[in-house]
Amino acid sequence: MKKDEKIYLSKVSDLGCIICYRLGYPGSFAEIHHIRGIGLGFGVRNSHYNVLPLCPEHHRGNTGYHGMGRKAFESKYEITEQELLDQVKEILNEKD
Ligand SMILES: [Zn+2]
Ligand SMILES: [Zn+2]
């Protein structure tokens, strides 16, 4: 991993969980979730940039991405993984 990728990943995890953020609780401790198979093709070549910050519950818990599976997760929170990725990038751009 290159240095700027590491910096990007730490910025993403510093944002806190993106689902908690959307639910009105910004800044919760977040793990990095890597998006697989999608997210390529809009100017992002490196998969280390296709990441979401998710707290342990929203990542691996019963209401989380891996606990529910992508489809159930996306319908529960009424947003796709891709749209979450876009939102993370928007928030990071606003911070810069
Ligand atoms: Zn969360
Ligand atoms: Zn994950």
Side-chain angles (χ1 to χ4, degrees):
M1 207 189 294
K2 289 181 204 131
K3 196 176 168 221
D4 55 345
E5 290 166 352
K6 280 189 185 159
I7 292 168
Y8 185 79
L9 289 183
S10 74
K11 275 189 191 173
V12 169
S13 60
D14 283 351
L15 277 184
C17 172
I18 189 66
I19 296 292
C20 290
Y21 177 93
R22 291 172 53 77
L23 296 174
Y25 305 101
S28 60
F29 169 78
E31 307 173 337
I32 293 291
H33 167 69
H34 282 84
I35 294 177
R36 289 164 225 270
I38 65 156
L40 301 172
F42 67 132
V44 184
R45 291 210 178 82
N46 195 303
S47 67
H48 288 298
Y49 292 98
N50 292 321
V51 292
L52 295 176
L54 292 172
C55 65
E57 174 60 28
H58 287 136
H59 191 205
R60 294 177 274 115
N62 290 336
T63 61
Y65 185 96
H66 297 291
M68 299 168 76
R70 180 172 63 84
K71 281 195 175 152
F73 179 87
E74 289 180 340
S75 71
K76 178 173 173 67
Y77 299 108
E78 297 179 332
I79 190 163
T80 67
E81 190 175 47
Q82 184 66 65
E83 287 164 344
L84 287 171
L85 184 63
D86 291 343
Q87 187 169 22
V88 165
K89 286 175 183 172
E90 266 172 40
I91 298 166
L92 286 176
N93 284 338
E94 282 167 15
K95 286 198 164 192
D96 278 348

